[in-house]
Amino acid sequence: GFDLELAKEVADRLGLEFVPQPIAWDAKDMELSSGTIDCIWNGFTMNGREDAYTWSEPYMDNSQVFVVAADSGISSLADLAGKVVEVQTDSSAEAALKEDDNKELKDSFKELVVVSDYNTAFMNLDSNAVEAIAMDIGVAKYQMESRDGKYKILDDVLSAEQYAVGFAKNNTELRDKVQKTLDEMREDGKFAEIAEKWDLTDSVID
């Protein structure tokens, strides 16, 4: 995947051996601290874990956001009270709305409608059948690009999820090397090239 290819390119440039190592997720801290693995790089969400690891800068944004019509007058989560909100079935946004943290928000909606695809969701938004759609920020940006300024993304996010590379707390030396290499890959176009290959151009943080 995208993460593996990024990691391999960084390792190659640093002259390090690249060994992708599947681990038991609940053993990740032990594996890091014992040095069995050097970093965690697989869609690893830094939000809520900021102090547990030494992190690279985030390279991908997978936050869940709300899209509304530009002229809807909706500008915050509070404005969604009494509104019909739509999500795609089995999406991260649907999962986020089922979490206890978001129960109050979800209960404030007039209704939560689940649809099978985003084209239907945007048709429903256009016809005012629904007033907001919850979705991945990358998908939202992509959809908005092709729909000339009729929509906006609310600043308040449903759930913030940014991926970064996690290192053991004391391992700033390797983090700095990896970060410098990632920055160089951004500058020379390799980062963008890999993102495009995996169709993630709208999700990566440049």
Side-chain angles (χ1 to χ4, degrees):
F2 174 63
D3 288 330
L4 278 177
E5 196 164 332
L6 269 189
K8 183 173 186 332
E9 177 71 22
V10 167
D12 287 351
R13 291 182 179 211
L14 287 170
L16 299 170
E17 190 187 357
F18 174 64
V19 186
Q21 180 92 6
I23 57 168
W25 196 237
D26 54 4
K28 62 183 178 296
D29 296 342
M30 191 182 76
E31 301 252 10
L32 257 188
S33 57
S34 69
T36 318
I37 59 172
D38 295 303
C39 65
I40 300 173
W41 194 332
N42 64 333
F44 193 30
T45 304
M46 70 186 293
N47 308 81
R49 298 191 176 110
E50 287 87 351
D51 299 334
Y53 304 89
T54 290
W55 291 99
S56 73
E57 287 168 20
Y59 60 86
M60 190 168 157
D61 190 353
N62 196 43
S63 296
Q64 308 305 312
V65 297
F66 291 97
V67 173
V68 297
D71 58 3
S72 64
I74 297 171
S75 60
S76 68
L77 297 186
D79 294 339
L80 293 172
K83 303 287 194 290
V84 181
V85 179
E86 199 155 72
V87 286
Q88 182 179 323
T89 181
D90 287 333
S91 63
S92 303
E94 185 186 22
L97 281 166
K98 287 181 172 168
E99 287 173 9
D100 289 346
D101 292 357
N102 294 314
K103 184 175 174 4
E104 202 174 319
L105 174 65
K106 184 178 158 209
D107 289 349
S108 78
F109 302 159
K110 180 179 178 186
E111 191 184 350
L112 181 65
V113 178
V114 181
V115 289
S116 61
D117 64 274
Y118 288 117
N119 284 335
T120 306
F122 275 93
M123 274 171 18
N124 291 342
L125 192 59
D126 287 341
S127 66
N128 298 319
V130 305
E131 288 147 303
I133 310 170
M135 62 174 84
D136 289 5
I137 192 163
V139 178
K141 285 181 186 169
Y142 173 75
Q143 291 285 349
M144 286 171 72
E145 267 169 32
S146 58
R147 296 171 195 269
D148 23 285
K150 291 198 299 189
Y151 310 99
K152 65 176 182 182
I153 297 174
L154 297 188
D155 290 338
D156 297 348
V157 299
L158 169 58
S159 66
E161 189 168 279
Q162 292 182 317
Y163 298 156
V165 190
F167 302 84
K169 275 291 264 190
N170 55 0
N171 197 354
T172 52
E173 187 188 347
L174 182 59
R175 189 275 314 271
D176 291 347
K177 284 182 185 169
V178 168
Q179 186 61 54
K180 185 168 180 282
T181 306
L182 276 173
D183 291 344
E184 285 164 4
M185 285 163 60
R186 282 197 173 91
E187 280 162 30
D188 66 27
K190 188 67 178 178
F191 184 84
E193 183 190 312
I194 297 173
E196 193 173 337
K197 178 182 169 186
W198 293 97
D199 206 17
L200 290 167
T201 303
D202 290 300
S203 301
V204 295
I205 299 170
D206 295 330

